[in-house]
């Protein structure tokens, strides 16, 4: 792995995104719009929005990042761009880390927008500091990116990459504690939820909302999310194909 190459890949991805205004709008604006829609749904039940609004700050960015990065990576392979890139002195991990770094910067902007709107426009009630919620939101966006990069290795077309979203993300959404607290799940499902990364992303957001700082269990959940990110990138580098057959 070469930092210079990693940064060059990140700069290339950011340059591509700068020309793709629709994708940038989807990455940055769509999570805030979806959270606003949920607030509107619960406008007569503010307590319900406080219950669901925080976890949604983990779920929506992760889903959107997953879809965009899995399709973008598959497009690099199917167009032959990835094959040409690998003719240069670049490791697979350089490529994935470059993508992850570029989308991490997008995730920072995304988190600032969605957290600011949730807290100051929609009056989401949290007990912890806003900056911790922002940090967790960034980690959740990067988690979606890492999972998307990993999942793209198992798709041969962009349509298959999109199909990976329900296979990878929907079970996590059902079991992450968004719909029902994880400790109320049946024993087998609770055990499964313990090995799913989105569970810890939601737990971290809930922890901040309840006022549990990074020095308590919330910090542990955030570190677990970071560990999943690193594991997904490592597995992605091990399974990444240079071209689509």
């Amino acid at each position: 792995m070469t930092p210079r190459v990693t940064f060059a890949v990140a700069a290339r991805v950011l340059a591509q995104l700068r020309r793709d205004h629709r994708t940038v709008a989807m990455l940055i604006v769509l999570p805030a719009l979806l959270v606003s829609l949920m607030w509107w749904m619960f406008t007569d039940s503010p307590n319900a929005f406080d219950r669901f609004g925080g976890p949604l700050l983990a779920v929506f960015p992760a889903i959107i990042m997953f879809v965009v990065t899995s399709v973008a990576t598959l497009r690099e392979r199917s167009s032959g761009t990835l094959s040409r890139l690998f003719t240069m002195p670049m490791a697979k991990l350089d490529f994935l880390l470059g993508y992850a770094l570029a989308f991490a910067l997008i995730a920072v902007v995304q988190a600032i927008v969605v957290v600011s709107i949730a807290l100051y426009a929609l009056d989401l009630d949290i007990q912890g500091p806003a900056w911790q919620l922002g940090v967790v939101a960034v980690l959740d966006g990067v988690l979606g990116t890492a999972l998307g990069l990993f999942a793209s290795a198992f798709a041969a077309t962009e349509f298959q990459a999109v199909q990976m979203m329900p296979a990878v993300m929907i079970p996590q959404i059902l079991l992450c504690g968004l719909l029902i607290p994880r400790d109320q799940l049946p024993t087998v499902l609770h055990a499964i939820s313990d090995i799913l990364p989105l569970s810890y992303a939601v737990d971290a957001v809930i922890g901040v909302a309840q006022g549990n700082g990074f020095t308590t269990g919330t910090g542990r959940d955030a570190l677990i999310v970071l560990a999943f990110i690193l594991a997904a990138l490592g597995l992605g580098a091990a399974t990444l194909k240079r071209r689509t057959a």
Side-chain angles (χ1 to χ4, degrees):
M1 187 187 76
T2 306
R4 180 179 59 82
V5 176
T6 298
F7 290 131
V9 172
R12 175 178 168 275
V13 174
L14 289 172
Q16 290 176 326
L17 288 173
R18 190 167 59 245
R19 295 190 295 268
D20 191 348
H21 298 154
R22 278 185 252 185
T23 298
V24 172
M26 183 175 73
L27 289 171
I28 295 176
V29 178
L30 186 56
L33 288 178
L34 292 174
V35 171
S36 300
L37 177 61
M38 293 297 295
W39 168 84
W40 198 0
M41 290 171 56
F42 294 118
T43 187
D44 295 326
S45 304
N47 291 335
F49 178 68
D50 289 336
R51 159 74 177 85
F52 291 103
L56 290 175
L57 296 182
V59 171
F60 286 152
I63 292 174
I64 294 168
M65 287 293 201
F66 178 93
V67 173
V68 172
T69 53
S70 60
V71 171
T73 308
L74 197 284
R75 186 176 298 166
E76 297 272 35
R77 289 209 330 264
S78 60
S79 66
T81 301
L82 188 57
S83 298
R84 292 192 294 273
L85 287 173
F86 279 128
T87 61
M88 301 184 291
M90 180 180 70
K92 293 180 181 180
L93 191 57
D94 286 322
F95 175 79
L96 291 181
L97 287 178
Y99 254 81
L101 178 59
F103 279 94
L105 295 176
I106 297 293
V108 171
V109 180
Q110 181 190 72
I112 291 173
V113 172
V114 71
V115 170
S116 297
I117 289 176
L119 294 181
Y120 306 117
L122 306 180
D123 293 324
L124 178 66
D125 184 25
I126 65 168
Q127 302 302 312
W131 71 267
Q132 290 188 4
L133 187 61
V135 169
V136 173
V138 171
L139 283 175
D140 297 340
V142 178
L143 174 65
T145 296
L147 293 176
L149 292 170
F150 173 58
S152 68
F154 302 96
T157 66
E158 291 181 23
F159 181 64
Q160 288 181 4
V162 173
Q163 288 177 314
M164 296 296 291
M165 197 282 286
V168 174
M169 299 303 291
I170 288 183
Q172 296 193 68
I173 294 171
L174 294 176
L175 300 178
C176 70
L178 176 63
L179 303 179
I180 181 174
R182 290 202 300 127
D183 57 8
Q184 296 180 21
L185 290 170
T187 303
V188 174
L189 295 182
H190 185 273
I192 293 173
S193 74
D194 283 341
I195 60 174
L196 299 177
L198 198 58
S199 298
Y200 297 96
V202 169
D203 285 351
V205 172
I206 292 175
V208 173
Q210 293 176 345
N212 300 322
F214 282 167
T215 58
T216 60
T218 301
R220 177 186 64 88
D221 292 329
L223 288 175
I224 292 174
V225 172
L226 179 59
F228 273 112
I229 291 171
L230 297 176
L233 291 174
L235 290 172
T239 56
L240 180 66
K241 299 176 183 177
R242 293 170 181 259
R243 59 176 60 85
T244 298

